[in-house]
Amino acid sequence: MKIINLSMECYPVAKVGGLGDVVGALPKYLNRIEGIEDSVVMPWYNKIFVHEHEFEIVFDGWIHQSHHTFQVQVMKEKSKVLGFDLYLVKIPGLLDRDNPYGYWDESQQFLAFQHGVLHWLTAMQIRPDILHCHDYHTGLVPFMIENCPEFRFLKGVKTIGTIHNGEYQGQMNWEMSSYFPWFYGEQWGLLDWNGFINPLAAMIKCCHAFNAVSEGYLQELFENFRGLEGLVRQEHEKAYGIINGIDTEVWNPATDSFLDFNFSEENVVTGKQKNKIALCKEYNLNPDLPLFGFIGRFAGEKGADLLPDIIWRSIQETYGALNIIILGSGDKNIEYQLNELTKSYSNFALDLGYKEYLSHKIYASSDFLLMPSRVEPCGLNQMYAMRYGTVPIVRYTGGLRDTVEDVSSGGSGLNFGAATAKDAVHAIHRALHIYHNKELMQRLVHSNMNYDFSWEKSAERYLEMYRR
């Protein structure tokens, strides 16, 4: 079975969130199964990985977008260092930038990527068994291979769509249709949703199967999908819920090169304490206090707007009997509020931006990880935390509901119901009681490290979907 993943992100080449982690791990684990050939195609970015590895040009061609002609180059990484074939699509002027997102013409970028990939596959007569499209950025591929004559060679290829985050759908005005490869005009309804082109809706309509990245999130989409609830109900027979895994070779505290001190389950208590002392020294925190961490984007869906109130309340109500460290960036107002709090509280540390090495250190050093998400399709942070012996404190939603059972029911962490600072701080109070019960805390730490969130299990679920 030959599978090609199409994605805007892939760790370690370029990663913004969980999408990059998934695409960097799933094909690696699937390729270990006999008879599977899985590869990744993504845009070229001006990134360290690209410059440090050797690539060969395997295709050089041209595509037309509206009144413009663009060169398309496809480059293949030579050494297969990631455990799968990696292809980068470079289109000068569109796909040759520093970052995956944030540009004014990103709709045109995503269209050019999809067009360029299908042009390459058609021109080189490469016909996979499955094209796996990740999120709306590649959601037009199922429509294009069936309705654009240019790609008739690919007609009938099976397509899978994965919804990593349904909050983002790529909606664009119909004027953008001039940037599409020519398609049969009578099929316009497959692209349309409420008078706009909606790539995520088009993916759900046209693909052979689609999945959400947890069973809990799939169920939520039936009721709350930013206007696509009726569509996903209509197409429910081809819907799957598959929880993401984590790459246990990358996320392994015993071998993690980012850590100051490696540890395993046998020496987790002393190992975590050593890492905690080192991190607290760097950020002027007290290592004798319990450490709560948050890692993520400062966005409403992550509950990041609650963080300033959570920090203020928890420090005030506990008389400063805890430390909090936050790594992230995003909404500038949230960044400003958090930065102001660092001036008032010595037991609160903030690092703005995203640093892969620091995220590993925070997982290894923290006693608890905060995830007050309003929306969490799967969530990987809670799995990373547990792998590193850290107890997750999560809002009961989406994939968090599937992976973190409350300690009161014999589970691995602490749940709270409403996305409010009050509920989150109540959970923090519960966490402090657990922390000071050393026997219970150590039992939680050890049991969390034994949870199996490996990609082997998730890859088998994807393979089952592919085969069906």
Side-chain angles (χ1 to χ4, degrees), residues 205-337:
K205 293 177 187 177
C206 299
C207 68
H208 292 87
F210 67 92
N211 74 288
V213 289
S214 70
E215 186 63 43
Y217 187 52
L218 177 62
Q219 297 307 314
E220 288 180 8
L221 293 181
F222 289 114
E223 305 300 328
N224 184 15
F225 195 2
R226 294 184 68 85
L228 300 187
E229 301 86 359
L231 176 61
V232 77
R233 289 187 206 128
Q234 179 181 317
E235 301 288 350
H236 72 276
E237 290 186 355
K238 58 182 184 181
Y240 295 77
I242 304 177
I243 194 77
N244 287 334
I246 61 173
D247 190 335
T248 52
E249 294 169 5
V250 173
W251 296 93
N252 183 355
T255 58
D256 192 334
S257 60
F258 289 132
L259 303 189
D260 293 302
F261 302 94
N262 291 111
F263 61 89
S264 62
E265 187 187 347
E266 285 68 33
N267 65 335
V268 57
V269 175
T270 57
K272 282 185 70 69
Q273 185 63 20
K274 287 179 180 179
N275 281 287
K276 182 178 177 181
I277 290 170
L279 187 70
C280 287
K281 182 178 180 181
E282 183 178 351
Y283 287 91
N284 297 313
L285 300 173
N286 181 355
D288 295 326
L289 296 177
L291 179 60
F292 293 74
F294 173 93
I295 302 167
R297 288 182 294 112
F298 295 163
E301 67 189 74
K302 297 296 183 183
D305 56 304
L306 304 175
L307 289 174
D309 200 18
I310 290 172
I311 292 163
W312 181 83
R313 282 173 176 252
S314 58
I315 293 176
Q316 290 289 330
E317 292 180 15
T318 63
Y319 302 101
L322 78 171
N323 288 320
I324 300 174
I325 185 167
I326 288 179
L327 169 64
S329 63
D331 185 287
K332 296 304 177 185
N333 183 48
I334 297 173
E335 289 186 6
Y336 172 78
Q337 291 182 65

Side-chain angles (χ1 to χ4, degrees), residues 293-448:
F294 173 93
I295 302 167
R297 288 182 294 112
F298 295 163
E301 67 189 74
K302 297 296 183 183
D305 56 304
L306 304 175
L307 289 174
D309 200 18
I310 290 172
I311 292 163
W312 181 83
R313 282 173 176 252
S314 58
I315 293 176
Q316 290 289 330
E317 292 180 15
T318 63
Y319 302 101
L322 78 171
N323 288 320
I324 300 174
I325 185 167
I326 288 179
L327 169 64
S329 63
D331 185 287
K332 296 304 177 185
N333 183 48
I334 297 173
E335 289 186 6
Y336 172 78
Q337 291 182 65
L338 292 175
N339 202 43
E340 288 297 300
L341 285 171
T342 62
K343 301 172 184 177
S344 302
Y345 299 111
S346 60
N347 50 339
F348 168 52
L350 173 68
D351 201 307
L352 292 175
Y354 184 75
K355 300 169 182 173
E356 185 72 20
Y357 76 89
L358 183 54
S359 71
H360 287 242
K361 289 188 174 187
I362 291 174
Y363 289 123
S365 305
S366 297
D367 299 293
F368 302 94
L369 184 80
L370 291 167
M371 295 184 71
S373 306
R374 289 187 175 85
V375 178
E376 196 63 71
C378 173
L380 296 174
N381 290 15
Q382 78 279 15
M383 301 184 206
Y384 298 147
M386 291 163 66
R387 175 85 167 146
Y388 284 63
T390 298
V391 179
I393 302 173
V394 305
R395 181 169 170 259
Y396 194 65
T397 185
L400 300 177
R401 184 174 59 189
D402 291 349
T403 53
V404 181
E405 185 179 357
D406 194 87
V407 65
S408 62
S409 305
S412 57
L414 295 138
N415 301 147
F416 59 95
T420 65
K422 181 180 178 181
D423 274 31
V425 173
H426 177 71
I428 288 172
H429 281 293
R430 292 180 62 207
L432 291 173
H433 284 293
I434 292 171
Y435 177 82
H436 293 294
N437 183 335
K438 295 300 181 185
E439 183 181 342
L440 174 57
M441 185 68 185
Q442 288 187 23
R443 192 164 68 243
L444 264 181
V445 167
H446 282 283
S447 65
N448 281 3

Side-chain angles (χ1 to χ4, degrees), residues 13 15 28 61 66 84 96-97 127 138 147 152 169-170 186 260 282 290 305 453 455:
V13 187
K15 168 188 166 181
K28 179 170 79 172
S66 188
F84 51 84
D96 58 352
R97 301 176 182 177
R127 186 179 168 90
T138 58
N147 298 289
R152 62 173 60 90
Q169 301 178 6
E186 65 271 17
D260 293 302
E282 183 178 351
D305 56 304
F453 292 122
W455 261 112

